[in-house]
Amino acid sequence: MAYKLETLTIHGGQSPEPVTGAVMTPIFQTSTYAQPHPADWPWEYARTQNPTRTALQDCIASLEGAKHGFCFSSGVAAIDSVIRALSPGDTVLCGDDVYGGTYRLFTRAWSQFGLNFIFVDTTDPSLEIPKDTKLVWLETPTNPLLKTSDIAAIAKKSKDVGATLVVDNTFATPVFQRPLELGADVVVHSMTKYLNGHSDVISGAVVTNDASWAKHLAFIQNSAGAVPGPQDCFLVLRGLKTLHVRMERHQSNAKKIVHWLQNHDAVQQVLYPGFGGMVSVYLRATLEQTCAVVKNTKVFTLAESLGGVESLIELPALMTHASVPADVRSSLGIDDGLIRLSVGIEHIDDLIEDLSQAIENGLNKK
Ligand SMILES: *Cc1c(COP(=O)(O)O)cnc(C)c1O
């Protein structure tokens, strides 16, 4: 039976532990397993398999409607595992304002291995995918400009040239967007963000329905070994149980903040894709003033990352996107007046009052 997402967040990949009936999947804190006979046991070594990790892999796969799930020690390790399927000379077509760490991994960590990364505006409906493209890397909505791309249209264009479409679904989460249903081949997540949701774990995942991609990912997970520990898997499993409830509140708070910001004199433009909990805003302010605004909040914490229950505020040009070259940043519009909010699930009145006093105090700074 196909359960709904709200049921799968709680039960996907999980059933009571058979020995004791423990309702929660235990933390199997072990590196190896006693074998009843030589080489005749499903559990060999914990880099290869761990039951806590298996539960998490099956849970995230179920949420994305995927057959196969693989968890990694971070979101970038998950991304790295996908890129390892390529060969020298292969071309990757990549969105031009992807996560800064993805851009750094592609352009610096992978630069000496003969891969060809081309950065394009994937939001452009007339986007053409060159014939020799092996992989298309899509983030939608993007970060920090929250621009959206048409996954189904890009999936079709990718298929026409035989390219694999990979979607980083970290910002939308399977609550708001399920890329495999729209034709994507592979979905990656930084589970550090909304999926875990409590800002206490670094974790990543890759899911797919494609058997040859699943084979590659299982091989890389075991042979390169960037696996998460069982305690981290347990924490993400616990966080996932409230994903749908949290996302609803992130979104309703974000929508109220967007409405309030749009009517504020100091606001030049609000960026919001229409769903989710991320909001970016251009203030009419100098760099000194925007710095003062982000330092003046009391409920919003000045910090990188996103997707936790607590509200965060940051200045992309100096923080999350500092590793993107200045000329690229300014051509995209990531300038000194841009502030990014990860709207948490606190009471909306406290959030708006906090932003109100921080903007007022920050802009009074000459
Ligand atoms: C944070 C993030 C990543 C990287 O994940 P880590 O868990 O920090 O390694 C990748 N993609 C997006 C969109 C992110 O926000």
Side-chain angles (χ1 to χ4, degrees):
M1 173 176 168
Y3 292 113
K4 303 263 193 289
L5 181 129
E6 291 81 351
T7 307
L8 292 170
T9 58
I10 296 162
H11 299 287
Q14 296 151 81
S15 46
E17 190 271 326
V19 176
T20 62
V23 169
M24 289 298 143
T25 304
I27 302 169
F28 284 89
Q29 193 79 48
T30 188
S31 62
T32 191
Y33 308 90
Q35 303 190 15
H37 304 286
D40 180 26
W41 193 240
W43 309 94
E44 299 155 11
Y45 184 61
R47 172 162 27 77
T48 321
Q49 318 103 335
N50 178 288
T52 320
R53 190 175 93 212
T54 302
L56 176 59
Q57 294 182 154
D58 292 350
C59 185
I60 174 66
S62 76
L63 297 179
E64 289 285 4
K67 284 202 199 94
H68 314 280
F70 303 90
C71 291
F72 293 87
S73 53
S74 68
V76 290
I79 295 168
D80 186 72
S81 74
V82 174
I83 298 302
R84 280 168 186 270
L86 301 174
S87 304
D90 282 352
T91 293
V92 179
L93 201 70
C94 180
D96 62 8
D97 68 339
V98 291
Y99 174 67
T102 302
Y103 183 84
R104 179 177 55 201
L105 177 70
F106 288 178
T107 57
R108 293 178 51 202
W110 276 101
S111 61
Q112 75 271 42
F113 295 103
L115 298 175
N116 183 21
F117 293 98
I118 301 174
F119 294 91
V120 295
D121 179 4
T122 55
T123 67
D124 178 359
S126 67
L127 172 74
E128 283 182 26
I129 300 181
K131 276 209 169 44
D132 63 345
T133 305
K134 262 275 157 44
L135 202 119
V136 177
W137 194 275
L138 187 59
E139 237 178 68
T140 178
T142 59
N143 169 28
L145 300 174
L146 304 172
K147 295 190 293 182
T148 54
S149 300
D150 184 341
I151 296 177
I154 294 172
K156 193 178 169 302
K157 290 179 193 174
S158 301
K159 206 165 240 117
D160 286 346
V161 300
T164 296
L165 174 61
V166 186
V167 177
D168 181 334
N169 204 28
T170 299
F171 270 48
T173 81
V175 173
F176 297 122
Q177 173 171 283
R178 283 181 294 283
L180 297 180
E181 291 173 4
L182 299 170
D185 302 292
V186 176
V187 170
V188 306
H189 275 284
S190 169
M191 298 201 291
T192 308
K193 315 294 169 53
Y194 286 113
L195 297 192
N196 178 56
H198 293 74
S199 307
D200 50 13
V201 174
I202 298 287
S203 178
V206 187
V207 303
T208 185
N209 279 319
D210 183 293
S212 67
W213 270 100
K215 200 169 160 210
H216 162 80
L217 292 162
F219 173 74
I220 291 302
Q221 189 187 42
N222 187 45
S223 62
V227 291
Q231 176 143 0
D232 283 356
C233 293
F234 170 85
L235 286 169
V236 179
L237 276 170
R238 184 162 80 168
L240 275 174
K241 290 181 193 292
T242 54
L243 177 69
H244 49 296
V245 182
R246 287 186 283 107
M247 294 315 295
E248 228 169 73
R249 181 60 66 85
H250 282 299
Q251 172 165 281
S252 76
N253 278 353
K255 286 189 168 174
K256 288 172 187 156
I257 285 176
V258 166
H259 181 77
W260 177 79
L261 284 170
Q262 279 167 341
N263 293 299
H264 196 293
D265 287 345
V267 170
Q268 192 185 340
Q269 196 190 352
V270 184
L271 307 176
Y272 184 65
F275 63 89
M278 298 300 295
V279 178
S280 291
V281 52
Y282 287 104
L283 294 181
R284 290 181 224 282
T286 63
L287 180 60
E288 261 187 322
Q289 288 172 320
T290 31
C291 276
V293 170
V294 298
K295 279 165 67 178
N296 262 305
T297 53
K298 297 187 173 72
V299 182
F300 280 83
T301 302
L302 175 58
E304 299 201 0
S305 198
L306 60 110
V309 289
E310 69 292 319
S311 292
L312 303 180
I313 189 166
E314 68 117 359
L315 230 163
L318 298 188
M319 296 171 65
T320 48
H321 290 66
S323 64
V324 177
D327 57 324
V328 177
R329 264 200 324 261
S330 73
S331 77
L332 293 170
I334 305 174
D335 64 27
D336 295 344
L338 184 69
I339 286 175
R340 190 187 77 178
L341 306 174
S342 173
V343 179
I345 63 172
E346 300 95 337
H347 197 288
I348 185 63
D349 295 351
D350 294 332
L351 295 180
I352 288 180
E353 197 179 301
D354 190 36
L355 288 176
S356 174
Q357 65 78 23
I359 292 174
E360 193 177 313
N361 290 331
L363 294 195
N364 280 338
K365 195 155 171 97
K366 287 285 156 1

